[in-house]
């Protein structure tokens, strides 16, 4: 049996336009006149000499082929024997740039003539980056990001600092404005801006926080579409004031975004290991793309998993509506809140099996009227009742279910399920943060005591953080 290997090869674009060949033909030829011996199905990563970055993942398709990529050679191509290397994937981000690769053991320079396969750790890192890129088809993780340490230093002890507003939606416009500790002003050139730019858009910001009794930092929030200003901004209309030594101080900001994924209640968050040679990781309270590559790929993989899980939960919620319409529910469900939850272990991970009858009961309890606004009308289903959807106010995710079942309460119960018209249901999932919060607050006020009656306790702030 042949064990396949992974190689790193160097493409010299002044000799042959490999990039164009790969784009137009989907393969390149690689001379067999080298000491390295490829076998079929080996993987070859291609480092481009012109932009000093790995851009392509190739697979050895054939091991003894006449050269076919002669058209792309700058001078005349040799008539040699070649390996045929097929394009598998292209990577356009900046985690495989020379300076980042050097931090994971890339030596560069000298070995340009012969492909190498002996730096296992480096190749594993490259593999991880390509793996993440292949998983982000339905959403895009930005190339540029900044990891920000929130609430260490003085803030940690007093809870008073300019960063108090970072994870809070602003009352004025519902957006998020973030202070960058310790003294705001970021270096936006590190985030892809030109030196004359005043701000840069489409940046991912990852907020982390020190864990108690440890130097490690856990992820507490992120946004994938922030604007980052070069200079600190001030806007009194946003009402971001704190009192310091009896004085009102306006908190400046350099980060703004329409929304933030709040991860403070995540039971298994990503954690940066801050020790050994990474002990200085958060000395500046921030770092930019590619500074700590090995830990960053782990962080990115965590974010990919998180976004995929979120996506599945929303899909589940909408697929589930058909079942609710069809189920008969004649007897009144009175003890759903104390029945054990059901899980299913599918290919895409553990999910909750929701009871259609509990949702149907909730729709019946509401007389098939939208509980956000009972004047919202839809159409009649073939059961002769208005079409409405069931939405779990405390979202029925695995982590939320586990959290409440630790107190022997099942959140898949009519008390936690709201009857909503399809527009309001979409709005609560996909609406702007302000609009979402408005519905959630209104529904929470209507449901609070019902939930308390069955022993489900949650504050409005905790609930908002779950959306
Ligand atoms: Zn829903
Ligand atoms: Zn409605």
């Amino acid at each position: 049996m042949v064990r396949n290997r992974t190689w790193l090869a160097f493409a010299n674009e002044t000799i042959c336009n490999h990039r164009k060949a790969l784009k137009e033909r989907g393969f390149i030829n690689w001379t067999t006149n080298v000491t390295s011996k490829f076998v079929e199905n080996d993987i070859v990563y291609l480092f481009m000499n012109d932009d000093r970055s790995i851009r392509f993942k190739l697979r050895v398709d054939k091991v003894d082929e006449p050269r076919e990529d002669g058209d792309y050679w700058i001078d005349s191509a040799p008539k040699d024997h070649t390996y045929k290397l097929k394009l598998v994937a292209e990577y356009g981000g900046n985690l495989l740039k020379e300076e980042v690769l050097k931090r994971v053991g890339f030596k560069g320079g000298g070995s340009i003539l012969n492909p190498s396969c002996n730096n296992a750790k480096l190749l594993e890192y490259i593999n991880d980056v390509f793996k993440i890129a292949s998983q982000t088809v339905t959403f895009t993780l930005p190339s540029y990001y900044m990891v920000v340490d929130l609430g260490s230093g003085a803030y940690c002890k007093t809870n008073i600092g300019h960063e108090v507003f970072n994870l809070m939606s602003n009352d004025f416009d519902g957006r998020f404005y973030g202070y960058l500790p310790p003294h705001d002003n970021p270096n936006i050139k590190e985030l892809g801006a030109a030196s004359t730019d005043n701000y840069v858009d489409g940046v991912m910001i990852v907020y982390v926080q020190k864990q108690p009794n440890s130097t490690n930092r856990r992820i507490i929030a992120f946004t994938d579409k922030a604007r980052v200003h070069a200079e600190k901004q001030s806007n009194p209309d946003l009402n971001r004031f704190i009192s310091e030594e009896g004085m009102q101080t306006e908190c400046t900001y350099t980060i703004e975004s329409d929304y933030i994924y709040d991860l403070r209640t995540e039971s298994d968050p990503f954690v940066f290991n801050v020790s050994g040679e990474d002990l200085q990781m958060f000395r500046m309270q921030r770092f930019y793309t590619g500074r700590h590559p090995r830990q960053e790929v782990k962080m990115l993989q965590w974010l990919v998993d998180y976004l995929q899980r979120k996506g599945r939960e929303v899909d589940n919620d909408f697929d589930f509506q058909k079942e609710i319409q069809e189920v008969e529910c004649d007897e009144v469900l009175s003890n759903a809140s104390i029945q054990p939850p059901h899980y299913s272990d599918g290919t895409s991970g553990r999910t909750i099996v929701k009871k259609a009858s509990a949702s149907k009961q909730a729709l019946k309890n509401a007389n098939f009227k939208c509980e956000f606004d009972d004047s919202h009308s839809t159409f009649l289903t073939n059961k002769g009742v208005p079409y409405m959807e069931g939405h779990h106010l405390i979202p029925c995710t695995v982590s939320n279910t586990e959290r409440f079942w630790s107190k022997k309460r099942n959140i898949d119960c009519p008390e936690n399920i709201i009857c909503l018209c399809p527009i309001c249901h979409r709005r609560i999932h996909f609406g702007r943060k302000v609009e979402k919060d408005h519905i959630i607050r209104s529904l929470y006020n209507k449901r609070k005591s019902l939930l308390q009656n069955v022993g489900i306790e949650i504050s409005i702030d905790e609930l908002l953080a779950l959306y």
Side-chain angles (χ1 to χ4, degrees):
M1 211 187 90
V2 188
R3 240 188 92 237
N4 279 110
R5 291 191 284 190
T6 303
W7 301 84
L8 183 55
F10 299 82
N12 189 342
E13 297 291 286
T14 61
I15 293 178
C16 170
N17 195 338
H18 299 93
R19 192 179 272 108
K20 196 168 173 218
L22 286 167
K23 203 144 272 172
E24 293 179 2
R25 301 267 183 95
F27 70 88
I28 52 173
N29 295 96
W30 204 260
T31 184
T32 54
N33 192 20
V34 288
T35 55
S36 323
K37 292 282 172 259
F38 297 159
V39 299
E40 257 176 54
N41 294 320
D42 276 2
I43 294 297
V44 181
Y45 290 111
L46 209 57
F47 182 93
M48 312 303 288
N49 78 316
D50 53 0
D51 68 355
R52 309 305 296 174
S53 181
I54 292 171
R55 289 288 175 225
F56 300 101
K57 177 179 183 173
L58 312 171
R59 188 177 52 78
V60 179
D61 190 41
K62 302 255 171 57
V63 293
D64 190 14
E65 287 281 290
R67 187 172 287 283
E68 293 175 77
D69 65 355
D71 298 351
Y72 299 94
W73 280 60
I74 310 300
D75 296 323
S76 62
K79 294 206 170 15
D80 52 353
H81 288 259
T82 72
Y83 297 109
K84 185 172 181 178
L85 308 182
K86 267 202 163 171
L87 177 64
V88 177
E90 183 174 355
Y91 174 71
N94 45 25
L95 284 171
L96 298 179
K97 281 182 178 167
E98 188 167 31
E99 68 258 33
V100 178
L101 292 172
K102 278 184 176 163
R103 297 191 186 114
V104 280
F106 176 68
K107 302 281 189 296
S111 48
I112 277 182
L113 287 177
N114 281 306
S116 65
C117 67
N118 45 22
N119 193 337
K121 282 203 155 172
L122 171 66
L123 291 164
E124 188 193 327
Y125 169 76
I126 300 165
N127 242 335
D128 286 345
V129 172
F130 270 90
K131 185 176 158 212
I132 290 163
S134 75
Q135 290 167 313
T136 55
V137 180
T138 49
F139 52 87
T140 319
L141 284 183
S143 287
Y144 291 99
Y145 49 80
M146 177 164 65
V147 179
V148 178
D149 192 21
L150 268 197
S152 62
Y155 176 80
C156 221
K157 294 174 197 97
T158 59
N159 270 322
I160 299 168
H162 291 234
E163 57 266 62
V164 287
F165 299 109
N166 280 37
L167 305 191
M168 254 184 235
S169 143
N170 192 277
D171 290 337
F172 179 73
D173 60 3
R175 301 179 77 248
F176 291 82
Y177 296 87
Y179 167 77
L180 177 66
H183 303 297
D184 245 331
N185 301 352
N187 179 1
I188 65 168
K189 274 182 275 176
E190 295 264 17
L191 300 171
S195 47
T196 51
D197 290 344
N198 295 321
Y199 61 83
V200 57
D201 280 326
V203 173
M204 181 160 80
I205 303 293
V206 176
Y207 290 120
V208 298
Q209 192 167 48
K210 191 177 157 308
Q211 292 193 300
N213 308 318
S214 163
T215 46
N216 293 345
R217 304 294 201 277
R218 65 157 281 176
I219 187 168
I220 52 167
F222 79 102
T223 171
D224 53 354
K225 288 186 186 66
R227 168 172 291 190
V228 181
H229 297 271
E231 305 272 329
K232 60 184 173 195
Q233 307 289 306
S234 146
N235 180 355
D237 286 346
L238 297 175
N239 198 25
R240 303 168 81 257
F241 293 97
I242 53 169
S243 55
E244 276 178 324
E245 292 152 9
M247 297 266 290
Q248 285 282 93
T249 314
E250 189 194 342
C251 298
T252 54
Y253 65 92
T254 51
I255 303 164
E256 52 177 305
S257 66
D258 286 338
Y259 61 90
I260 267 180
Y261 293 94
D262 193 326
L263 306 172
R264 284 175 290 185
T265 59
E266 278 294 305
S267 52
D268 190 14
F270 175 75
V271 176
F272 278 102
N273 177 13
V274 186
S275 66
E277 45 187 284
D278 290 327
L279 196 57
Q280 296 297 314
M281 204 169 192
F282 291 103
R283 199 170 57 91
M284 310 297 287
Q285 294 190 266
R286 72 193 77 160
F287 66 82
Y288 303 91
T289 324
R291 193 67 201 83
H292 302 277
R294 276 189 217 288
Q295 296 212 46
E296 285 166 45
V297 290
K298 294 199 184 99
M299 171 194 85
L300 292 172
Q301 185 61 55
W302 191 92
L303 292 173
V304 167
D305 292 343
Y306 173 82
L307 288 170
Q308 285 179 342
R309 195 170 75 227
K310 274 268 164 197
R312 275 200 305 274
E313 280 159 6
V314 171
D315 290 348
N316 283 348
D317 202 20
F318 291 118
D319 292 347
F320 181 56
Q321 300 306 324
K322 187 165 177 266
E323 227 181 294
I324 301 175
Q325 306 311 315
E326 282 161 8
V327 74
E328 304 287 347
C329 139
D330 296 330
E331 56 214 282
V332 174
L333 286 172
S334 55
N335 59 357
S337 63
I338 52 169
Q339 305 268 316
H342 290 286
Y343 299 93
S344 116
D345 289 296
T347 45
S348 52
R350 203 166 191 223
T351 52
I352 295 293
V353 182
K354 287 181 276 194
K355 289 187 299 292
S357 55
S359 289
K360 189 60 160 270
Q361 180 70 53
L363 266 51
K364 277 188 172 177
N365 293 350
N367 282 321
F368 298 91
K369 287 195 161 122
C370 176
E371 291 186 69
F372 177 63
D373 182 338
D374 62 14
S375 71
H376 293 170
S377 68
T378 61
F379 55 90
L380 294 183
T381 70
N382 58 14
K383 303 255 181 205
V385 295
Y387 175 82
M388 286 289 160
E389 298 186 344
H391 170 74
H392 289 71
L393 187 59
I394 301 169
C396 203
T397 61
V398 173
S399 64
N400 294 347
T401 300
E402 282 171 348
R403 174 174 156 196
F404 284 92
W405 188 245
S406 70
K407 296 171 203 140
K408 291 286 170 284
R409 287 296 177 277
N410 185 348
I411 52 174
D412 187 24
C413 61
E415 292 80 4
N416 183 42
I417 301 169
I418 314 280
C419 174
L420 289 176
C421 76
I423 298 286
C424 287
H425 193 197
R426 253 78 178 162
R427 187 157 32 210
I428 210 170
H429 282 281
F430 304 120
R432 281 208 311 153
K433 176 85 181 150
V434 251
E435 213 163 331
K436 247 167 136 160
D437 285 3
H438 176 59
I439 304 189
I440 296 165
R441 278 179 199 281
S442 144
L443 295 173
Y444 176 78
N445 290 334
K446 289 180 190 164
R447 277 307 169 93
K448 198 178 162 193
S449 55
L450 257 184
L451 284 168
Q452 272 171 348
N453 288 346
V454 293
I456 298 176
E457 302 271 352
I458 189 165
S459 72
I460 181 63
D461 289 329
E462 285 174 294
L463 181 63
L464 290 171
L466 296 177
Y467 278 78

